[in-house]
Structure formats: structure tokens, C-alpha cells
Amino acid sequence: MKKPFITKQQAEDLIKQYPTPFHLYDEKGIRENARKVKKAFAWNKGFKEYFAVKATPTPAILQILKEEGCGADCSSYTELLLSEAVGITGSEIMFSSNVTPEEDFILANKLGAIINLDDFTHIDFLEKLVGIPETISCRFNPGGLFQINNDIMDTPGESKYGFTREQMTKGFLKLMEKGAKHFGIHAFLASNTVANEYYPELAKILFQTAVELKEETGADIQFINLSGGVGVPYTPDQEPNDIMAIGEGVRKAFEEILVPAGMGNVAIFTEMGRFMLAPYGCLVSKAIHEKHTYKEYIGLDACAANLMRPAMYGSYHHITVLGKETAECRYKYDVTGGLCENNDKFAIDRMLPKIDIGDILVIHDTGAHGFSMGYNYNGKLRSAEVLLKEDGTSQLIRRAETPQDYFATFDFTNLFPKS
Ligand SMILES: *Cc1c(COP(=O)(O)O)cnc(C)c1O
């Protein structure tokens, strides 16, 4: 059974200060999990988690993760600015972008971020802009299918990211010629994997590739970046990943492949977003309408603009009706938002307890790729973000948008001249 990290009483107290809907984050959960990740990879001297900023681009969250020793994985100009603003700087920033605009590379270089190139042609592009830095990373795409125990996890051959295997060798040689001295390798082969084997299997591929690249080019490979993709159990029946087992699996591959090749000093980096944050955030919303037509509907004050994943991917997000945690789920509902878009449904045919107007609904696991994917369709405004602190108090870490924010990018004065 999935349990929210707040009680009905706590939610009611919060709602007195912060009107629904809002995203709520659990500081205690975030810190405990970040410490576990660190412990799981403590066997590796250079280990560092570069939190994927796109998952939760909120300064207070980045600050907590920074305090827990994390860096930041950025892929855009504003994500770089955000990291810099919370004091994550220099090589604590991994710049893993693609289709990168000139100004983004220029800023990444100025901040001293580690640049992780997505493509062979980016070598010339980067050189013309800012020159080739001494430390650089290349993103690898092995193509084909990515399988674990005959299960197809994803199809790298269909993904837009990364260098081919041949381009990795050519790229390393070209970069060395242009002055690069230290190298990293990165790959992201499957998303939201709920399987302890993902990182170890990916590690085997990357470690083997690193050994080959070192033999072929003589490059000094200093780090291997396993990127993101470690998932969380969105549905109640899924078994959560065991990060200790994952760390141990990567260690085994490291001992088997890198150590015998004399590469035992290579640092392991990760760029997790979802695993670091998803379970430690939820969307708190109120039932404001019910509708009885061909189906039974519950309408919330939140909509897909606050949480896009169900509309975009058909993702499951668990829902708890606060105060009815133990009630029998005897009613079948579509739980919807108010966008003029029929895919604005948080749940379809979901069995839930009887929902009454005014009930508080917690939509689970929205801490990553939740608020951040929000948008303004139908003029809907982005919600606030609230931090539930370790001591039980709360802090507004992002205020809700107002109509002024929505209208801030144009000038009304021409339309409505002062009379
Ligand atoms: C999105 C992304 C991540 C984080 O992915 P999660 O699935 O949230 O772990 C890491 N690295 C890169 C380059 C990404 O694009």
C-alpha cells in the first residue's frame, strides 16, 4: 500500500496557509534517500550524484541536495543559471545537453562546468565557440535494443542522443588532438527502470567501452557517468529499487572490468532525477466538482498543467483521499482537471473510496518531472511549491503564479491606454 507522507490533519493545516493546489516536498525523505545513494556508492572514491535539475528546478530543493553532497546536471542556459545561483559551480555542474545553442555552451564553459558532448559534430561547434576544455565527456549510444535478461528495456537505436561506437573512438582522438587531456563517458539507455539490474548492466557496457577506448586512443578516462533512468514504483504493486543492491552491482562490474584494466581510479558519476525526488513530492489538491454522465467524474482544482505525466505518457500516479486511507475502494472514477482537453485526467477508471466535494486528494510521486513539466495552457497558472521541513514546519519555496505573471511577457499599456 502506498502511504502519503502527510496526514489529513497536516494537509488541513497547510491548506490554511497555502491554497490548493500545491506541490509539497518532504525534506526528511529527500535527505535520507540522498544519504542512502551516497552510501551505496561509497566504495568508489570519486563518486558524485549530479542531480538532474530538469526534474525539480527549485532552488530550495537544489540547496538541500547540495548540502547532501550532490552536484547538478544541467542541459539549458537557465538550468546553468539556477545551479550557479545556489552555489553549485565549476566541476560540480555536469552539462549534459543536446541540440545545444551557442550561448548555452558559452555559459557552461564560463562557469567551468564539465561539458558532456551529445554529438561528434559538437566538437567543432564547441571549439569554434570557446575552444576544447582539458576535461570533457562524450555521450555514448550503442544503438540497437537495450535488453536485460531478454526483456527489452528501451531502444537506444531509436533515440536521438549520443555518439555511435565508431564516433566515440574518432571523437576521443579528435578531442585529444585539440588539447583535451581528461575524459568521461556517459550513457542513458532506459528511463524509469524499476529493476536493480539497470545500472549494473549499463555499467558493464560503459566499463567495457572505456577499456576499449583507452586501448584504442590512450585517452585518460577519469569518470564514467551512468546518468539517470533509475526509476521509482509509481504503482502500488511495484517493488522499489534497492539502491544498496544497485551500488553493489556496479561495484562488481567495476572490479571485474575496470580494475583488471588498471582503471581502478575511475570515478562513478550519476545524474538521477526521478530516483532522488519523485517519491518525496506530491500534488495536494481538492475535489471541487462531481459529475455523473456516462461515467463518474471527480473534478479537481489541479489539472494537467500542474502534472503533465498522465496526459503525456498515460502514466499512473497513485491517489490517496485523505482521511479515507482505510476506506474500501468501491467507486470507479475518472479524476480530472479543468483543461479543455480530454486527456486532462489524473486517473481513468480508478477504484477509490467515495469522494465528496472538499475532500483533499494527494497525488503521489510528483517530486520529479511534476511541477517542472508544468505549462500554461488555457491560461492555467502554475501552483506554489511548499517544503515540509524536517522539524514539521513548512516553507513556501515557490509562490503560485498570478495573472500578472501570466501576462508579464507582453505590454498591456498599448491595449488599454490610461484614460
Ligand atoms: C532527464 C535526464 C536525467 C535524469 O533522468 P531521471 O529519469 O529523472 O533519472 C539525467 N541525465 C540526462 C542527460 C537527462 O536528460
Side-chain angles (χ1 to χ4, degrees), residues 52 54-55 73 96 139 161 186 188 191-192 227-230 271-275 368-369:
K54 75 164 188 265
D73 158 36
S96 292
R139 182 169 184 164
Y161 307 109
H186 167 284
F188 190 153
S191 190
N192 192 28
S227 187
V230 179
E271 285 176 347
M272 291 182 280
R274 197 183 312 272
F275 188 79
H369 313 296

Side-chain angles (χ1 to χ4, degrees), residues 39-99:
K39 198 169 151 204
F41 288 92
W43 55 267
N44 182 262
K45 207 162 63 60
F47 174 76
K48 195 170 183 72
E49 151 70 6
Y50 291 82
F51 175 66
V53 173
K54 75 164 188 265
T56 324
T58 309
I61 300 294
L62 297 182
Q63 186 66 45
I64 291 170
L65 292 169
K66 176 183 152 66
E67 286 168 17
E68 297 301 336
C70 299
D73 158 36
C74 301
S75 62
S76 70
Y77 193 89
T78 48
E79 287 179 0
L80 286 166
L81 292 178
L82 192 49
S83 301
E84 171 78 353
V86 299
I88 300 177
T89 59
S91 61
E92 293 176 330
I93 303 175
M94 183 68 60
F95 189 57
S96 292
S97 63
N98 68 96
V99 194

